[in-house]
PDB file of all heavy atoms in Angstrom:
ATOM      1  N   PHE A  47     -13.528  -7.206  17.219  1.00 92.00           N
ATOM      2  CA  PHE A  47     -14.137  -6.126  17.993  1.00 92.00           C
ATOM      3  C   PHE A  47     -15.662  -6.268  18.010  1.00 92.00           C
ATOM      4  O   PHE A  47     -16.312  -6.134  19.041  1.00 92.00           O
ATOM      5  CB  PHE A  47     -13.721  -4.776  17.411  1.00 92.00           C
ATOM      6  CG  PHE A  47     -14.441  -3.617  18.019  1.00 92.00           C
ATOM      7  CD1 PHE A  47     -14.125  -3.202  19.299  1.00 92.00           C
ATOM      8  CD2 PHE A  47     -15.439  -2.958  17.321  1.00 92.00           C
ATOM      9  CE1 PHE A  47     -14.786  -2.140  19.878  1.00 92.00           C
ATOM     10  CE2 PHE A  47     -16.110  -1.894  17.895  1.00 92.00           C
ATOM     11  CZ  PHE A  47     -15.780  -1.488  19.177  1.00 92.00           C
ATOM     12  N   GLU A  60     -27.603 -10.823  30.289  1.00 75.00           N
ATOM     13  CA  GLU A  60     -27.692 -11.994  31.161  1.00 75.00           C
ATOM     14  C   GLU A  60     -27.564 -11.651  32.631  1.00 75.00           C
ATOM     15  O   GLU A  60     -28.236 -12.200  33.480  1.00 75.00           O
ATOM     16  CB  GLU A  60     -26.575 -12.986  30.819  1.00 75.00           C
ATOM     17  CG  GLU A  60     -26.893 -13.848  29.625  1.00 75.00           C
ATOM     18  CD  GLU A  60     -25.677 -14.651  29.206  1.00 75.00           C
ATOM     19  OE1 GLU A  60     -24.847 -14.966  30.088  1.00 75.00           O
ATOM     20  OE2 GLU A  60     -25.546 -14.933  28.013  1.00 75.00           O
ATOM     21  N   GLY A  97      -1.441  -0.977  14.181  1.00 85.00           N
ATOM     22  CA  GLY A  97      -2.131  -2.159  14.693  1.00 85.00           C
ATOM     23  C   GLY A  97      -1.176  -3.224  15.182  1.00 85.00           C
ATOM     24  O   GLY A  97      -1.529  -4.037  16.043  1.00 85.00           O
ATOM     25  N   SER A 137     -12.832   6.481  33.810  1.00 87.00           N
ATOM     26  CA  SER A 137     -11.397   6.335  34.066  1.00 87.00           C
ATOM     27  C   SER A 137     -10.780   5.356  33.072  1.00 87.00           C
ATOM     28  O   SER A 137      -9.716   5.611  32.510  1.00 87.00           O
ATOM     29  CB  SER A 137     -11.146   5.827  35.483  1.00 87.00           C
ATOM     30  OG  SER A 137     -11.858   6.609  36.395  1.00 87.00           O
ATOM     31  N   SER A 148       0.391   6.033  23.934  1.00 92.00           N
ATOM     32  CA  SER A 148       1.764   5.571  24.138  1.00 92.00           C
ATOM     33  C   SER A 148       2.180   4.591  23.038  1.00 92.00           C
ATOM     34  O   SER A 148       3.339   4.554  22.651  1.00 92.00           O
ATOM     35  CB  SER A 148       1.932   4.964  25.525  1.00 92.00           C
ATOM     36  OG  SER A 148       1.174   3.799  25.621  1.00 92.00           O
ATOM     37  N   ILE A 161      14.477   7.570  10.619  1.00 93.00           N
ATOM     38  CA  ILE A 161      14.665   8.649   9.640  1.00 93.00           C
ATOM     39  C   ILE A 161      15.899   9.467   9.993  1.00 93.00           C
ATOM     40  O   ILE A 161      16.702   9.809   9.130  1.00 93.00           O
ATOM     41  CB  ILE A 161      13.420   9.558   9.562  1.00 93.00           C
ATOM     42  CG1 ILE A 161      12.206   8.744   9.097  1.00 93.00           C
ATOM     43  CG2 ILE A 161      13.643  10.711   8.596  1.00 93.00           C
ATOM     44  CD1 ILE A 161      10.936   9.537   9.000  1.00 93.00           C
ATOM     45  N   GLY A 190      -8.333  11.820  26.212  1.00 93.00           N
ATOM     46  CA  GLY A 190      -8.158  10.963  27.388  1.00 93.00           C
ATOM     47  C   GLY A 190      -8.118  11.760  28.679  1.00 93.00           C
ATOM     48  O   GLY A 190      -8.673  11.342  29.692  1.00 93.00           O
ATOM     49  N   THR A 196     -12.529  13.553  34.816  1.00 94.00           N
ATOM     50  CA  THR A 196     -13.915  13.411  35.273  1.00 94.00           C
ATOM     51  C   THR A 196     -14.080  12.109  36.052  1.00 94.00           C
ATOM     52  O   THR A 196     -14.772  12.059  37.077  1.00 94.00           O
ATOM     53  CB  THR A 196     -14.889  13.415  34.075  1.00 94.00           C
ATOM     54  OG1 THR A 196     -14.384  14.293  33.090  1.00 94.00           O
ATOM     55  CG2 THR A 196     -16.269  13.854  34.493  1.00 94.00           C
ATOM     56  N   PHE A 228       1.433  14.157  35.667  1.00 90.00           N
ATOM     57  CA  PHE A 228       2.332  13.981  34.540  1.00 90.00           C
ATOM     58  C   PHE A 228       1.597  14.314  33.229  1.00 90.00           C
ATOM     59  O   PHE A 228       2.074  15.069  32.377  1.00 90.00           O
ATOM     60  CB  PHE A 228       2.807  12.526  34.502  1.00 90.00           C
ATOM     61  CG  PHE A 228       4.235  12.381  34.101  1.00 90.00           C
ATOM     62  CD1 PHE A 228       5.128  11.668  34.897  1.00 90.00           C
ATOM     63  CD2 PHE A 228       4.704  12.948  32.915  1.00 90.00           C
ATOM     64  CE1 PHE A 228       6.450  11.521  34.530  1.00 90.00           C
ATOM     65  CE2 PHE A 228       6.024  12.803  32.544  1.00 90.00           C
ATOM     66  CZ  PHE A 228       6.899  12.088  33.343  1.00 90.00           C
ATOM     67  N   TRP A 241       4.505  21.867  22.009  1.00 86.00           N
ATOM     68  CA  TRP A 241       5.392  20.716  21.861  1.00 86.00           C
ATOM     69  C   TRP A 241       4.821  19.758  20.827  1.00 86.00           C
ATOM     70  O   TRP A 241       3.614  19.511  20.807  1.00 86.00           O
ATOM     71  CB  TRP A 241       5.517  19.978  23.183  1.00 86.00           C
ATOM     72  CG  TRP A 241       6.550  20.549  24.090  1.00 86.00           C
ATOM     73  CD1 TRP A 241       7.060  21.804  24.041  1.00 86.00           C
ATOM     74  CD2 TRP A 241       7.169  19.877  25.175  1.00 86.00           C
ATOM     75  NE1 TRP A 241       7.967  21.965  25.040  1.00 86.00           N
ATOM     76  CE2 TRP A 241       8.067  20.800  25.757  1.00 86.00           C
ATOM     77  CE3 TRP A 241       7.064  18.615  25.726  1.00 86.00           C
ATOM     78  CZ2 TRP A 241       8.845  20.476  26.858  1.00 86.00           C
ATOM     79  CZ3 TRP A 241       7.833  18.286  26.818  1.00 86.00           C
ATOM     80  CH2 TRP A 241       8.732  19.207  27.378  1.00 86.00           C
ATOM     81  N   GLY A 265      -2.488  -2.459  42.328  1.00 64.00           N
ATOM     82  CA  GLY A 265      -3.662  -3.311  42.487  1.00 64.00           C
ATOM     83  C   GLY A 265      -3.291  -4.699  42.987  1.00 64.00           C
ATOM     84  O   GLY A 265      -4.017  -5.300  43.784  1.00 64.00           O
ATOM     85  N   PHE A 267      -0.063  -5.766  44.386  1.00 68.00           N
ATOM     86  CA  PHE A 267       0.923  -5.986  45.443  1.00 68.00           C
ATOM     87  C   PHE A 267       0.806  -5.056  46.647  1.00 68.00           C
ATOM     88  O   PHE A 267       1.433  -5.272  47.654  1.00 68.00           O
ATOM     89  CB  PHE A 267       2.337  -5.883  44.867  1.00 68.00           C
ATOM     90  CG  PHE A 267       2.597  -6.889  43.786  1.00 68.00           C
ATOM     91  CD1 PHE A 267       2.708  -6.502  42.465  1.00 68.00           C
ATOM     92  CD2 PHE A 267       2.702  -8.245  44.104  1.00 68.00           C
ATOM     93  CE1 PHE A 267       2.930  -7.430  41.474  1.00 68.00           C
ATOM     94  CE2 PHE A 267       2.932  -9.172  43.114  1.00 68.00           C
ATOM     95  CZ  PHE A 267       3.048  -8.775  41.789  1.00 68.00           C
TER      96      PHE A 267
END
Side-chain angles (χ1 to χ4, degrees):
Chain A
F47 172 74
E60 279 171 29
S137 310
S148 66
I161 298 180
T196 325
F228 218 126
W241 275 21
F267 300 109

